[in-house]
Each structure stands twice: as structure tokens, then as C-alpha cells.
């Protein structure tokens, strides 16, 4: 995750940040406490969902890669993608955030 900070603490802190912003956020799947990557499901509450997978940019900083080029997915499509991802990588953390604006509260740029 980052120097000395577990993925679990990083996720918990950002879920609390969502609550402070008035957003609903849930951990849909808990992965490895120290080394799990994060997948964010942004539920836009009507038009669909966007998925972002955690990666690193050219400087080694946290960044986010939009799934399917950032296209809106139906909830069924998004959940199927998540299920396949968790099956491939059980250490993966999945965080679902409900926000009509589709904001990602986690630090890092979207590539």
C-alpha cells in the first residue's frame, strides 16, 4: 500500500472520509490486510457504475485505472467484473461508494 500503512487502515480511513463527506461507502470484500490492492466501485445511483483499479503511476505513486476506459457499467456488469477479479485475486479489497457525482475519495490521479 504505502510506507508502513496497511491496506486495511488505508481503506478504513477513506471509508470514514466518505462518511464525513456524506457519502455511503462499504467494504464489499476484505482482502489481505497488508498487501491487498483496491478496486473501487463508484455507484452513480441511477446511470450506472464505474470501476477503478489501483495501480501506480510512472513515479511510483498511487493512481487509478478506469475499467473499460471509464465506461458506465450496469450494476450486474460491475458486480460480475468484481466477482471475477476477487476470484483471480482473493487479496483484493473492494470498496463500493454511492455518489451521484462519481467522486473517488482515494488519493491519486486517474490515468
Amino acid at each position: 500500500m504505502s510506507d508502513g500503512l496497511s491496506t486495511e487502515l488505508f481503506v478504513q480511513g477513506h471509508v470514514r472520509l466518505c462518511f464525513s463527506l456524506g457519502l455511503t461507502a462499504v467494504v464489499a470484500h476484505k482482502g489481505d490486510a497488508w498487501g491487498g490492492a483496491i478496486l473501487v466501485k463508484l455507484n452513480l445511483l441511477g446511470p450506472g457504475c464505474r470501476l477503478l483499479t489501483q495501480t501506480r503511476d510512472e513515479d511510483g505513486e498511487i493512481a487509478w485505472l478506469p475499467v473499460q476506459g471509464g465506461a458506465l457499467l450496469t450494476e450486474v456488469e460491475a458486480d460480475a467484473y468484481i466477482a471475477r477479479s476477487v476470484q483471480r485475486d482473493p487479496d483484493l479489497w473492494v470498496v463500493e461508494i454511492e455518489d451521484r457525482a462519481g467522486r473517488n475519495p482515494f488519493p491519486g490521479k486517474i490515468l
Side-chain angles (χ1 to χ4, degrees):
M1 179 74 274
S2 66
D3 297 330
L5 184 64
S6 71
T7 304
E8 183 173 25
L9 286 176
F10 184 79
V11 168
Q12 287 175 350
H14 285 83
V15 166
R16 287 179 190 228
L17 173 64
C18 287
F19 294 149
S20 73
L21 296 172
L23 304 174
T24 299
V26 296
V27 176
H29 183 267
K30 288 185 178 184
D32 182 73
W34 279 98
I38 302 168
L39 188 148
V40 176
K41 177 183 175 184
L42 299 171
N43 187 333
L44 279 63
L45 300 171
C49 301
R50 286 199 171 90
L51 298 176
L52 302 171
T53 59
Q54 181 188 24
T55 188
R56 296 284 175 166
D57 67 11
E58 59 278 358
D59 298 321
E61 299 296 321
I62 294 172
W64 300 92
L65 188 62
V67 170
Q68 294 188 359
L72 279 175
L73 305 173
T74 66
E75 189 141 13
V76 171
E77 292 168 331
D79 290 344
Y81 181 92
I82 291 167
R84 289 190 305 273
S85 296
V86 169
Q87 187 174 22
R88 276 191 310 272
D89 181 7
D91 292 337
L92 185 69
W93 285 76
V94 179
V95 180
E96 181 172 351
I97 300 164
E98 293 181 348
D99 180 20
R100 292 186 194 284
R103 296 172 285 178
N104 179 16
F106 289 93
K109 62 185 174 184
I110 296 178
L111 303 175

